[in-house]
Amino acid sequence: MVITPSSRIYIAGCGGMLGDAVYKEFSDAHVKATDINLCEPWLSRGDVRDPRGMRESIEAFKPDAIINLAAHTDLEHCEREQEDAWLTNAFGAENLGSIAQGLGIPYVYISTAGIFGGEKEFYNDFDAPNPLSIYAKSKYYGEQYALRSVSKHYVFRAGWMMGGGPAKDKKFVNKIFKQIAAGRKTLEVVDDKLGTPTYTVDFARGIRRLLESGQYGLYNQVCGGSGSRYDVAVEFVRLLGLERTVSVERVSSERFQREYFAQRPASESLVNMKLNQRGLNVMRDWRECLKDYAETYRMVLETA
Ligand SMILES: NC(=O)c1ccc[n+]([C@@H]2O[C@H](COP(=O)([O-])OP(=O)(O)OC[C@H]3O[C@@H](n4cnc5c(N)ncnc54)[C@H](OP(=O)(O)O)[C@@H]3O)[C@@H](O)[C@H]2O)c1
């Protein structure tokens, strides 16, 4: 599909860190953005667990495509509130996928590198998943539903998401930043978990590129390069210009076992084999992306 100012794009779960970038990426089109968390004036309420409400909201808008970003991404929340996790990540995905199928329009679903079991270091698009946690299992259901039941599907597997800035980023970079902003001089960071950072701005560009290509399918879509949480923290501190005042110390994940009790694979590093082969890979190296992203945080520190 060609995206023009008259294209109608429905984005569910658009109040989060990826939603921020996706909303901006499609700002030249006619967008309806919904979420259960009305953190922006441009959002209206839409709960993906409510099939009837979603159907009415989507059908009234008459979209040309649906992008589903709604999820519970906190792994510990998913272990504690398993029914909510399944209803949001799996049933919600089924609801939106079946509406897209009924309307005969493209459907975008975001899965996760966390569906792999960590038996090896790098996973391509064809490797066999082995989801360990409730989060991973519920997301895996969502992607499988799209692959099997929605003809015009784009399923993207993302890695360690970074984006949205201090107000929206719920993940690693912002957790590190909060410690720095609170005055911590020593950061303890795990070095035994490997993955591929995934910048929301590039990722949103990739969604648009695929939608415009018409090449339906399942795609790994992560930044270039890989590393450990420790590597990301060291680079972030360096980009903030704080390497002399803040030290980053390696620890094993056992150190945070009580707080982060959901099972995580030792490696969830992806390679974008299919995007590369099709010439559709827009993702930059994670260090280059983190450099852009760290600017937001540098400005916060400077004005503090
Ligand atoms: N974050 C990552 O590291 C990561 C990695 C791989 C894949 N992904 C996937 O990327 C997609 C976007 O996630 P994100 O990183 O942008 O996470 P996010 O910041 O948590 O955004 C998800 C949004 O969905 C909302 N939501 C939760 N339950 C909902 C419901 N029932 N109906 C409608 N909206 C609901 C959330 O609201 P609340 O804030 O109120 O919960 C939040 O605004 C998700 O499919 C996620 O699984 C994320």
Side-chain angles (χ1 to χ4, degrees):
M1 70 186 276
V2 181
I3 294 165
T4 66
S6 58
S7 299
R8 302 177 72 81
I9 313 291
Y10 189 102
I11 311 173
C14 198
M17 46 198 290
L18 181 56
D20 194 66
V22 173
Y23 185 75
K24 286 174 187 150
E25 178 64 40
F26 288 91
S27 60
D28 58 331
H30 192 50
V31 167
K32 174 154 182 164
T34 62
D35 202 291
I36 51 164
N37 178 358
L38 301 182
C39 56
E40 295 282 0
W42 39 262
L43 285 166
S44 51
R45 193 175 156 79
D47 183 343
V48 297
R49 296 166 299 186
D50 169 15
R52 209 166 126 199
M54 287 314 301
R55 186 172 292 281
E56 283 170 9
S57 168
I58 292 172
E59 288 184 356
F61 181 65
K62 298 189 173 42
D64 299 310
I66 299 173
I67 302 177
N68 178 15
L69 309 177
H72 280 306
T73 62
D74 179 327
L75 272 67
E76 279 64 40
H77 172 86
C78 291
E79 297 296 324
R80 279 192 219 99
E81 306 291 338
Q82 299 198 0
E83 188 174 326
D84 191 22
W86 282 107
L87 288 179
T88 306
N89 299 349
F91 184 62
E94 188 170 321
N95 290 335
L96 268 65
S98 73
I99 295 168
Q101 176 67 7
L103 294 173
I105 58 174
Y107 171 63
V108 174
Y109 178 74
I110 317 300
S111 184
T112 169
I115 58 156
F116 291 109
E119 305 84 0
K120 55 185 214 158
E121 189 175 344
F122 285 98
Y123 291 89
N124 68 38
D125 317 62
F126 305 101
D127 279 312
N130 175 23
L132 304 175
S133 66
I134 296 294
Y135 173 67
K137 287 175 184 165
S138 59
K139 292 297 296 180
Y140 182 54
Y141 180 89
E143 73 166 54
Q144 291 302 300
Y145 181 84
L147 299 184
R148 293 187 184 131
S149 308
V150 188
S151 314
K152 298 179 178 176
H153 61 256
Y154 297 97
V155 174
F156 294 93
R157 288 179 178 150
W160 294 340
M161 205 72 90
M162 47 185 202
K168 291 189 181 172
D169 188 332
K170 297 170 180 154
K171 293 291 172 173
F172 182 73
V173 171
N174 205 29
K175 286 178 183 173
I176 292 293
F177 180 74
K178 280 184 190 162
Q179 294 183 48
I180 295 170
R184 275 260 180 102
K185 296 293 175 228
T186 304
L187 307 173
E188 291 182 320
V189 182
V190 303
D191 70 348
D192 56 359
K193 297 288 179 200
L194 305 176
T196 23
T198 303
Y199 189 35
T200 55
V201 175
D202 289 36
F203 196 90
R205 205 176 294 145
I207 292 177
R208 182 173 181 137
R209 183 84 195 269
L210 262 289
L211 268 173
E212 291 186 326
S213 77
Q215 304 273 345
Y216 304 117
L218 165 71
Y219 295 94
N220 287 355
Q221 183 169 263
V222 295
C223 282
S226 72
S228 67
R229 296 285 192 191
Y230 172 83
D231 296 330
V232 178
V234 168
E235 186 66 4
F236 185 53
V237 167
R238 190 186 72 79
L239 289 166
L240 292 177
L242 297 174
E243 65 273 36
R244 295 211 176 134
T245 46
V246 176
S247 74
V248 186
E249 288 187 359
R250 297 172 185 269
V251 294
S252 106
S253 40
E254 276 170 33
R255 168 79 181 77
F256 298 110
Q257 192 67 47
R258 282 183 64 185
E259 196 180 339
Y260 295 108
F261 57 84
Q263 242 191 303
R264 290 167 166 81
S267 176
E268 48 186 304
S269 303
L270 302 186
V271 284
N272 302 339
M273 184 190 272
K274 278 174 67 177
L275 288 176
N276 285 333
Q277 285 303 114
R278 290 200 198 279
L280 294 169
N281 187 9
V282 301
M283 303 296 292
R284 292 171 295 160
D285 189 88
W286 71 262
R287 285 184 166 82
E288 202 182 330
C289 291
L290 187 57
K291 188 171 176 228
D292 283 3
Y293 189 39
E295 273 309 301
T296 321
Y297 287 96
R298 269 173 71 100
M299 286 192 299
V300 175
L301 285 179
E302 276 168 21
T303 54

